[in-house]
Amino acid sequence: MQGFATELGGPGSHTAIVAEGLEIPAVVGLGPFLADVSGGEPVILDGNQGVVILQPDEETIARYRLEAEIARSVAAQLDTLRDLPAETIDGVRIGIHGNIEFPNEAEHCIARGCDGIGLYRTEFLYLTSPREPTEEDHFAAYSEVVRAMPNLPVVIRTLDLGADKLRTETTSEERNPCLGLRSIRLSLRHIPSFRTQLRAILRVSAMGDVRVLFPLISTILELRQARMVLADVMEDLAEKRIDFNRNMKVGMMVETPAAAMMIDVFVKEVDFVSIGTNDLIQYTLAVDRGNKDVADLYNASDPSVLRLIRRSLDAAAAVGVPANLCGQMSGSVVYTQLLLGLGLRQLSVPPSSIPEVKQVCRSVSVAECRLIADRALEMDSAREVKNFLRDQLSRVLPETAV
Ligand code: PEP
Ligand code: MG
């Protein structure tokens, strides 16, 4: 596929996220335009700017050809960073991990010089098949990823189905699916399927540095319940003398304001946290991440979101629990300095963003980033924060267009 454009959806929707992961140019949420295309005519799809140009003139085509040429040479230059560490100029090592949806994307992360897989979204195993995956289906997919990542951590997230991640034949009765039976809630209602997935994750934990991540945790009881099911599955495997890592690290996503507000309680019961800003923004600002009509209100630079991130990172640091940020925000270089300044030392990003984020990390100092974060936290609007961050990025990397 060369690319696609949709009338519906927003930049935070999973259609857009998967397209970015697979490096397919895409523009979503354009509103009605299909009536204006008859098929077969030339079209320019500009996924960077979010525009589609129907029947472009020669001058526009020439301009885009030149831009594509420049993008190819920038990518070739960034390739040279592949084997260099993401270390700031004041010597702080940042971990850059990849987000994947399909096992073969692990290779793309390795090719870009990642430090591991920070988020493996397993729901695509369900979405690409008409039947429920078996334990062997799970095991085959997970082992492919673990084999591609020798000696590197692989964070496998349990099923996060629901909201905009549903099989096409499913007709949801829910009127408000983002607030409905999705994600960990669904897993805890379907314990046999949850156990099947956990058995497969535990089995691959014997093959490498595998960690499990529970999505959309909003209460401590949910976390405890999920951990109880995990402990139970461990007992089962032990009884059957099946190999697994009894000390497999267990983490939770921080993607609801409830989790961020109660983070001091949660961090005492997990080995790591991963901040999921895609949902955290949606639930904090009450903006559906997949709705084009409110896409302009869906904003990672909103001060309320920044405060929740800071709160989460501070609480994790206070008890020495490692924190990662795996929402799309971490792959956008305009936020890198802010995130390092807020205390983040591990980012998980789409494979195509790894080189660019690494370049920014290698061009800044944490001391400077802290000042940037402090300034941003004093601001009162998303627009002010975003303009400030753009300005700060252009100071260290003037050639990076954002
Ligand atoms: C998030 O919400 O930030 C996240 C990483 O999970 P997903 O995009 O799969 O909902
Ligand atoms: Mg999420």
Side-chain angles (χ1 to χ4, degrees):
M1 186 192 287
Q2 301 236 350
F4 66 86
T6 65
E7 293 189 339
L8 299 175
S13 66
H14 285 95
T15 308
I17 290 174
V18 172
E20 185 172 358
L22 298 177
E23 294 169 50
I24 299 171
V27 181
V28 299
L30 278 171
F33 76 96
L34 288 172
D36 300 331
V37 280
S38 49
E41 65 260 70
V43 163
I44 289 175
L45 192 80
D46 179 349
N48 291 334
Q49 302 298 326
V51 291
V52 171
I53 304 170
L54 304 175
Q55 314 231 27
D57 56 26
E58 283 306 320
E59 198 185 319
T60 312
I61 293 175
R63 181 162 53 82
Y64 270 94
R65 286 216 165 104
L66 180 65
E67 271 186 33
E69 194 49 51
I70 294 171
R72 273 191 289 274
S73 88
V74 169
Q77 211 188 329
L78 288 175
D79 259 358
T80 59
L81 300 180
R82 185 187 180 281
D83 297 318
L84 298 175
E87 189 172 308
T88 62
I89 51 185
D90 49 355
V92 179
R93 179 73 162 86
I94 310 299
I96 303 190
H97 297 231
N99 289 349
I100 61 168
E101 286 76 30
F102 303 100
N104 64 344
E105 288 176 280
E107 299 284 355
H108 303 182
C109 297
I110 286 285
R112 257 72 184 242
C114 74
D115 295 305
I117 298 298
L119 173 67
Y120 175 12
R121 291 183 166 98
T122 57
E123 43 282 2
F124 293 93
L125 210 57
Y126 291 75
L127 296 172
T128 49
S129 162
R131 62 170 174 82
E132 172 107 10
T134 62
E135 184 180 324
E136 289 318 307
D137 294 333
H138 284 287
F139 183 76
Y142 305 161
S143 27
E144 185 179 337
V145 176
V146 176
R147 274 197 301 269
M149 294 278 152
N151 305 318
L152 292 175
V154 174
V155 175
I156 305 180
R157 184 176 70 181
T158 64
L159 184 63
D160 187 37
L161 274 186
D164 70 335
K165 283 182 278 192
L166 285 173
R167 290 197 182 113
T168 42
E169 75 274 15
T170 316
T171 45
S172 174
E173 302 277 308
E174 293 186 318
R175 297 189 54 179
N176 216 339
C178 289
L179 303 182
L181 195 55
R182 61 166 292 210
S183 197
I184 193 71
R185 303 170 184 177
L186 206 57
S187 294
L188 293 174
R189 290 285 178 95
H190 297 97
I191 298 286
S193 311
F194 191 33
R195 289 177 63 97
T196 301
Q197 178 169 36
L198 291 174
R199 274 176 70 91
I201 296 174
L202 281 166
R203 281 173 57 202
V204 288
S205 75
M207 298 167 51
D209 182 355
V210 171
R211 306 167 188 191
V212 66
L213 177 62
F214 296 125
L216 205 78
I217 295 289
S218 38
T219 70
I220 194 75
L221 293 186
E222 264 168 356
L223 174 65
R224 288 182 187 153
Q225 217 185 328
R227 290 202 71 138
M228 258 162 53
V229 180
L230 179 68
D232 205 46
V233 175
M234 281 186 177
E235 288 320 309
D236 229 41
L237 291 181
E239 255 172 45
K240 297 193 170 75
R241 301 191 183 285
I242 296 173
D243 266 0
F244 67 94
N245 174 12
R246 197 166 261 290
N247 300 316
M248 178 176 71
K249 293 199 163 67
V250 178
M252 63 172 270
M253 303 266 308
V254 178
E255 42 188 356
T256 63
M261 293 309 291
M262 295 296 289
I263 192 70
D264 50 319
V265 173
F266 285 111
V267 288
K268 293 185 188 129
E269 300 195 21
V270 285
D271 300 309
F272 67 97
V273 295
S274 193
I275 304 175
T277 44
N278 302 339
D279 276 313
L280 188 60
I281 298 165
Q282 152 165 278
Y283 294 123
T284 303
L285 297 173
V287 175
D288 179 345
R289 61 193 267 190
N291 182 342
K292 71 173 177 52
D293 297 327
V294 287
D296 59 326
L297 301 175
Y298 182 86
N299 211 324
S301 19
D302 196 275
S304 59
V305 175
L306 306 192
R307 287 186 192 194
L308 292 178
I309 295 174
R310 164 158 275 180
R311 189 184 168 85
S312 306
L313 293 174
D314 286 353
V319 291
V321 164
N324 175 35
L325 194 146
C326 62
Q328 296 302 100
M329 177 182 188
S330 63
S332 171
V333 285
V334 73
Y335 296 113
T336 310
Q337 293 179 90
L338 167 79
L339 295 175
L340 301 192
L342 288 173
L344 200 68
R345 296 292 174 264
Q346 186 189 311
L347 295 94
S348 191
V349 308
S352 59
S353 303
I354 293 171
E356 241 188 345
V357 173
K358 193 184 267 191
Q359 185 193 31
V360 177
C361 292
R362 292 177 57 83
S363 313
V364 300
S365 75
V366 163
E368 194 61 38
C369 290
R370 283 204 185 104
L371 298 176
I372 292 173
D374 288 345
R375 281 274 303 282
L377 261 290
E378 282 164 11
M379 295 177 178
D380 57 15
S381 77
R383 185 185 300 174
E384 196 184 355
V385 171
K386 189 78 178 265
N387 287 340
F388 170 65
L389 295 179
R390 281 199 178 114
D391 188 46
Q392 293 303 315
L393 179 62
S394 68
R395 278 164 199 253
V396 286
L397 286 170
E399 69 284 7
T400 308
V402 282

